Amino acid sequence: MSDPITFHFDFSSPYGYLASTKIDALGAKYGREVVWKPFLIGATFKVTGLPALVEIPLKGDYARHDFARSARFHGVSYRHPEPFPIATQAPARAFYWVDKQDKVRAKQLAVALLKAYFVDGINISNPADTVAVARGLGHDAAALEAALNDPAVKALLKSEVDAAMAKGVFGSPFVFVGNEAFWGIDRFDQIERWLATGGF
């Protein structure tokens, strides 16, 4: 069986959100499993010394315009959220807690959380809002609320973030096909050709 596609993303990344609407279909087209791996992009900023894109002079205004334009280009619903960006520990912890039980339901939760933030304007950095989204999918709200503060779940997320950065992940989306890394929604054409041809 071919190596899976690994999809790293941050829940506050507009480009990660756009990629999330396409990555599974791309994998299915080429018979590849897609493994979703949320991480905390803020942790990479500490390593790179860079601020969030929208906080960089000149680039910030362009980026805000490009988020919406890219969503229109890809045919994806998008409403720029406020506040932006946000800390994403709560949704990421929720994902990994569910993922340990059911990977399919974890992806469904990730999709719902991304839609909640980038379409419905729900601030998923707030644990209560993350729990509410999960409750809407039938998850045990009390159990998830407890999990968000569970040291084991916190440690699991930290280990995933550390592992991602050890592989060289520094942005969202960040996709691996085998050991080949691709950064950004604008690399999806290259990813598809790589999958179709086995490399170039």
Side-chain angles (χ1 to χ4, degrees):
M1 182 177 177
S2 299
D3 290 334
I5 296 169
T6 307
F7 171 52
H8 297 273
F9 66 98
D10 183 280
F11 277 103
S12 71
S13 164
Y15 298 126
Y17 160 60
L18 298 181
S20 76
T21 69
K22 298 183 169 297
I23 191 68
D24 277 357
L26 185 59
K29 182 176 179 179
Y30 292 97
R32 302 286 187 110
E33 176 191 6
V34 180
V35 179
W36 288 38
K37 294 278 189 181
F39 73 106
L40 304 178
I41 200 166
T44 71
F45 295 157
K46 295 176 183 177
V47 176
T48 64
L50 296 173
L53 180 58
V54 293
E55 296 171 359
I56 300 173
L58 295 179
K59 288 186 177 181
D61 289 340
Y62 172 85
R64 290 183 186 88
H65 178 75
D66 189 60
F67 297 153
R69 180 180 61 196
S70 294
R72 293 193 304 271
F73 176 78
H74 290 286
V76 176
S77 296
Y78 179 84
R79 183 174 72 180
H80 190 68
E82 290 295 343
F84 177 85
I86 56 170
T88 56
Q89 284 87 347
R93 289 173 189 165
F95 174 92
Y96 283 115
W97 179 72
V98 175
D99 190 61
K100 287 186 68 175
Q101 307 164 55
D102 188 322
K103 294 187 181 305
V104 172
R105 293 192 77 197
K107 280 190 186 183
Q108 291 169 346
L109 176 60
V111 168
L113 287 165
L114 287 162
K115 178 182 178 293
Y117 185 51
F118 287 107
V119 178
D120 301 326
I122 296 170
N123 183 356
I124 58 172
S125 68
N126 182 346
D129 287 323
T130 282
V131 170
V133 171
R135 183 191 300 116
L137 295 177
H139 293 283
D140 183 326
L144 177 55
E145 188 173 2
L148 295 183
N149 293 304
D150 184 337
V153 176
K154 292 180 180 181
L156 175 58
L157 174 57
K158 184 179 186 305
S159 70
E160 291 288 351
V161 173
D162 290 345
M165 290 196 294
K167 289 169 55 181
V169 172
F170 58 82
S172 172
F174 211 96
V175 176
F176 286 89
V177 180
N179 293 318
E180 193 70 18
F182 299 87
W183 170 42
I185 185 69
D186 55 344
R187 291 295 180 267
F188 268 44
D189 287 345
Q190 289 191 24
I191 294 170
E192 177 151 19
R193 183 178 294 181
W194 194 275
L195 291 166
T197 64
F200 49 82

